[in-house]
């Protein structure tokens, strides 16, 4: 044995005579006991001659090799490791089941998906979505001339979807005949539906997601470029994302904090030449004055003590999915604004939906009358509070007063202000928001959804509102498209559009005495 190709431990054991009367396997096991779990049957091969494959009958060797083909389940057998005397022996590698999908094997029909979650979703769509073929009768009131429901002028009764398009794999029609007859209309969204199909399977493929590793603090001198997603991720020192699918996955969650930051930041892409109004410049300038404070020389120790300003409060109303986002996503707001302290307040009856195992709702007591859930250790400069209630109930109780236009802002992600199913829930809230005179930032799934909300606000409050940011496409919208399970033909993107308004301000003018 040459020392140039042997580790120091083996050379030392050879010199001490340990190699005598030992096989090569036993020698390596004595020298490196920590490496003995490389094979799950290592010890059996050393001590049990019958475990040697060469000594087994051929019939027992047919099923010994595990299959690892694409889309199938592979099992890792537990390995064993030697332990020191007096210590219990335990398994080093726990058995696990990994359904693995490669990038070239992501397309599967929803009803035949290897993921049980997607198969369950396919069953839900088939039970609730209706066929969009024009020969059927309408199932709801038509909201606009561009509504796909307006195409239905036939006399056939409504039928649930059951046929999956072979190109996109999503149930879209009640039969193959209706799918073929209306194919010219379906082809407009078929490619996008296939993209949604593959993105859903990619999230459940079992692969490692390096795009979900987010950077933390940067040096103070570094500046953020908010021209688009590419420049933002680059200047925030994210890992390079060279795949469009990975870009869609990461923007799906980052769109929530970055959309807020893109409107409030001093380097915002929205200015007087790009949709920002004069009243919007007044309101956002007050917020930016607080969000970008000058350096005060604060630091550790007694000499570094300085008076700190109160936190900036962001009221996120009608919170749903955004309230359950991983907290390291919301802390991106801290890294975008440096030393600013944030207090995120999620308010809405669905703010804690499907999170009972994570955060059981506390009892309403005299000290906590609205059952608030407070997370005060998310970040040294961030606190998150959640209220499972309507905002107008909290507003009437004056829980959050006083409001300050230099520190507070309301955020409404996809509120559905003008949607027939949710408009009545906002009728009591919007007047309360306008009374505060602080900015209200709204987003929408589509351009039509956003304009419908703005039209509803104008009809409800008339001229008692100032437009701060004109409705338009959000530069930091989610690049991933989603489907409505109640209508697979309704394709939208998270935070597609953004706009802002506030309660109208009246300037007091003094009339000169004659």
């Amino acid at each position: 044995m040459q020392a140039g190709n042997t580790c120091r431990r083996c050379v030392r054991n050879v010199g001490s005579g340990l190699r005598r009367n030992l096989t090569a396997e036993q020698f390596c096991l004595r020298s490196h006991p920590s490496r003995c779990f490389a094979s799950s049957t290592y010890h059996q091969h050393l001590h049990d001659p019958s475990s040697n494959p060469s000594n087994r009958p051929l019939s027992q060797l047919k099923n010994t090799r595990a299959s690892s083909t694409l889309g199938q389940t592979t099992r890792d057998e537990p390995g064993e490791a030697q332990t020191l005397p007096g210590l219990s022996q335990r398994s080093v590698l726990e058995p696990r089941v990994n359904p693995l999908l490669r990038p070239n094997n992501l397309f599967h029909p929803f009803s035949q998906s290897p993921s049980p979650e997607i198969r369950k979703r396919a069953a839900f769509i088939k039970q609730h979505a209706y066929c969009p073929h024009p020969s059927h009768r309408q199932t709801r009131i038509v909201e606009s001339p561009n509504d796909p429901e307006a195409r239905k002028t036939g006399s056939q009764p409504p039928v649930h979807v059951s046929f999956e398009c072979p190109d996109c794999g999503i149930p879209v029609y009640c039969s193959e005949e209706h799918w073929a007859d209306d194919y010219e209309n379906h082809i407009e969204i078929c490619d996008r539906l296939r993209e949604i199909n593959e993105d859903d399977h990619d999230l459940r493929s079992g692969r490692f997601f390096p795009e979900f590793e987010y950077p933390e603090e940067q040096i103070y001198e570094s500046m953020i470029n908010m021209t688009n997603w590419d420049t933002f991720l680059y200047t925030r020192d994210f890992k390079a994302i060279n795949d469009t699918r990975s870009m869609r996955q990461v923007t799906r969650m980052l769109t929530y904090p970055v959309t807020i930051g893109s409107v409030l930041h001093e380097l915002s892409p929205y200015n007087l030449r790009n949709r920002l109004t004069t009243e919007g410049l007044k309101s956002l300038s007050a917020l930016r004055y607080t969000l970008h404070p000058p350096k005060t020389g604060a630091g550790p120790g007694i000499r570094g003590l300085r008076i700190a300003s109160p936190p900036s409060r962001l009221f996120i109303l009608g919170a749903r999915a955004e309230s359950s986002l991983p907290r390291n996503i919301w802390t991106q707001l801290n890294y975008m604004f440096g030393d600013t302290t944030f207090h995120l307040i999620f308010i809405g009856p669905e703010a804690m939906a499907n999170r009972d195992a994570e955060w059981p709702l506390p009892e309403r007591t005299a000290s906590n009358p609205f059952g608030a859930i407070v997370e005060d250790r998310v970040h040294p400069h961030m606190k998150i509070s959640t209220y499972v209630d309507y905002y107008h109930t909290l507003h009437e109780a004056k829980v959050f007063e006083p409001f300050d236009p230099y520190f507070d802002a309301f955020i409404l992600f996809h509120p559905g202000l003008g949607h027939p199913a949710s408009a009545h829930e906002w009728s009591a809230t919007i007047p309360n928001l306008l009374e505060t005179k602080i900015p209200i930032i709204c987003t929408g799934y589509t351009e039509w959804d956003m304009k419908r909300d703005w039209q509803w606000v104008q009809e409800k409050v008339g001229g008692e509102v100032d437009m701060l940011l004109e409705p338009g496409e959000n530069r930091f919208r989610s690049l991933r498209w989603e489907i409505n399970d109640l209508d697979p033909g309704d394709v939208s993107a998270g935070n597609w559009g953004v706009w802002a308004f506030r309660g109208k301000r009246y300037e007091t003018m003094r009339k000169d005495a004659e």
Side-chain angles (χ1 to χ4, degrees), residues 153-402:
T153 57
S155 59
Q156 295 185 13
V159 181
H160 290 291
V161 298
S162 59
F163 176 77
E164 293 180 337
C165 172
D167 296 326
C168 63
I170 296 177
V172 287
Y173 287 89
C174 63
S175 64
E176 184 176 1
E177 291 75 14
H178 279 188
W179 168 77
D181 183 61
D182 199 35
Y183 186 73
E184 291 184 0
N185 180 68
H186 174 69
I187 196 64
E188 297 178 0
I189 60 173
C190 187
D191 292 340
R192 190 160 291 171
L193 292 178
R194 184 184 178 98
E195 180 182 291
I196 295 172
N197 184 324
E198 294 180 353
D199 288 346
D200 284 343
H201 282 95
D202 178 57
L203 281 179
R204 298 163 177 84
S205 63
R207 72 175 178 90
F208 177 68
F209 291 85
E211 61 268 29
F212 290 158
E213 295 183 358
Y214 306 115
E216 296 185 353
E217 285 188 83
Q218 292 178 286
I219 59 175
Y220 178 76
E221 291 77 9
S222 61
M223 298 182 65
I224 301 176
N225 189 326
M226 290 191 171
T227 304
N228 51 44
W229 274 116
D230 292 329
T231 59
F232 172 79
L233 296 177
Y234 177 77
T235 53
R236 268 291 290 126
D237 202 21
F238 277 75
K239 289 186 177 180
I241 301 177
N242 301 319
D243 184 15
T244 56
R245 177 169 291 112
S246 297
M247 191 72 170
R248 293 195 295 269
Q249 304 289 21
V250 70
T251 58
R252 182 190 185 189
M253 294 189 293
L254 280 178
T255 179
Y256 292 97
V258 179
T259 295
I260 298 175
S262 66
V263 177
L264 302 181
H265 203 276
E266 63 181 357
L267 301 178
S268 170
Y270 309 110
N271 49 47
L272 292 177
R273 293 174 294 180
N274 184 21
R275 295 166 46 193
L276 188 66
T277 64
T278 304
E279 292 297 326
L281 181 61
K282 295 178 182 178
S283 291
L284 296 183
S285 295
L287 280 170
R288 291 168 183 172
Y289 178 81
T290 305
L291 293 174
H292 299 278
K295 284 293 183 180
T296 60
I302 297 179
R303 293 186 177 181
L305 293 178
R306 298 292 186 276
I307 298 177
S309 61
S312 296
R313 299 187 300 177
L314 300 179
F315 299 90
I316 302 176
L317 309 187
R320 297 185 295 273
E322 56 270 20
S323 63
S324 60
L325 286 176
R327 297 323 188 203
N328 62 334
I329 294 178
W330 283 112
T331 54
Q332 294 299 313
L333 276 173
N334 294 105
Y335 306 136
M336 294 170 62
F337 290 94
D339 298 331
T340 303
T341 302
F342 286 98
H343 183 191
L344 303 184
I345 305 174
F346 296 102
I347 304 174
E350 301 179 17
M352 293 297 294
N354 302 322
R355 298 180 62 192
D356 294 338
E358 178 186 2
W359 289 99
L361 293 180
E363 296 182 1
R364 301 197 175 194
T365 61
S367 60
N368 188 12
F370 295 98
I373 300 174
V374 180
E375 305 170 53
D376 56 355
R377 298 188 179 182
V378 176
H379 186 272
H381 295 286
M382 175 173 285
K383 181 173 74 171
I384 297 179
S385 301
T386 305
Y387 293 83
V388 185
D389 211 329
Y390 288 101
Y391 173 78
H392 57 263
T393 303
L394 303 172
H395 184 88
E396 293 172 358
K398 300 182 179 180
V399 177
F400 306 114
E401 290 190 356

Side-chain angles (χ1 to χ4, degrees), residues 3 31 44 58 83 141 154 158 206 237 239 251 264 332 342 349 425 429 457 477 502:
S31 302
Q44 296 179 357
L58 182 61
T83 57
I141 299 176
D237 202 21
K239 289 186 177 180
T251 58
L264 302 181
Q332 294 299 313
F342 286 98
E425 298 179 349
T429 299
V457 172
R477 69 172 180 86
R502 70 148 193 258

